Amino acid sequence: MLLPAKAEVARHLRRYRAWERAMLASPEDRRVRATFEDSGYTLCVLMGKRCAREAADAAERYLRTTLVTYLREQSGRPHVSAVARRGPPKANRRSRAGR
């Protein structure tokens, strides 16, 4: 999975938040609303999300965590901290032939 540079994510997240504030201040302004929607779409593409709010949340998580932690969160799989055993699998020592 390719991820964008954190500086790029931070720049687009700032842009999205600024246009969000502008849109909330003047919701009737079509130019502001269109630019806000464009910035949301860009953030969606950048973060691989379908919704601008999800993309903004993902961008914030991505910026405050390490790459490994972020990818682990996205995969939905828990982190297993157990040490992997080395060597061949243990063979069952009991024979089933004698049963």
Side-chain angles (χ1 to χ4, degrees), residues 72-73 75-81:
R72 191 175 301 131
E73 286 176 358
S75 71
R77 287 184 272 162
H79 175 64
V80 179
S81 61

Side-chain angles (χ1 to χ4, degrees), residues 1 4-5 10 14-15 35-36 38 41 43 48-49 57-59 63 65-68 70 79 84 87 98-99:
M1 175 179 191
R14 279 193 309 271
R15 182 174 185 263
T35 308
F36 168 65
D38 287 346
Y41 175 78
L43 202 55
K49 300 294 181 184
D57 290 343
L63 291 173
T65 62
T66 64
L67 179 61
V68 173
Y70 178 77
H79 175 64
R99 289 187 182 184

Side-chain angles (χ1 to χ4, degrees), residues 39-57:
S39 67
Y41 175 78
T42 302
L43 202 55
C44 286
V45 172
L46 201 59
M47 298 308 299
K49 300 294 181 184
R50 293 181 181 207
C51 168
R53 287 194 185 264
E54 288 178 10
D57 290 343

Side-chain angles (χ1 to χ4, degrees), residues 87-98:
K90 291 183 181 179
N92 187 359
R93 302 206 182 257
R94 295 177 65 188
S95 171
R96 293 189 180 262

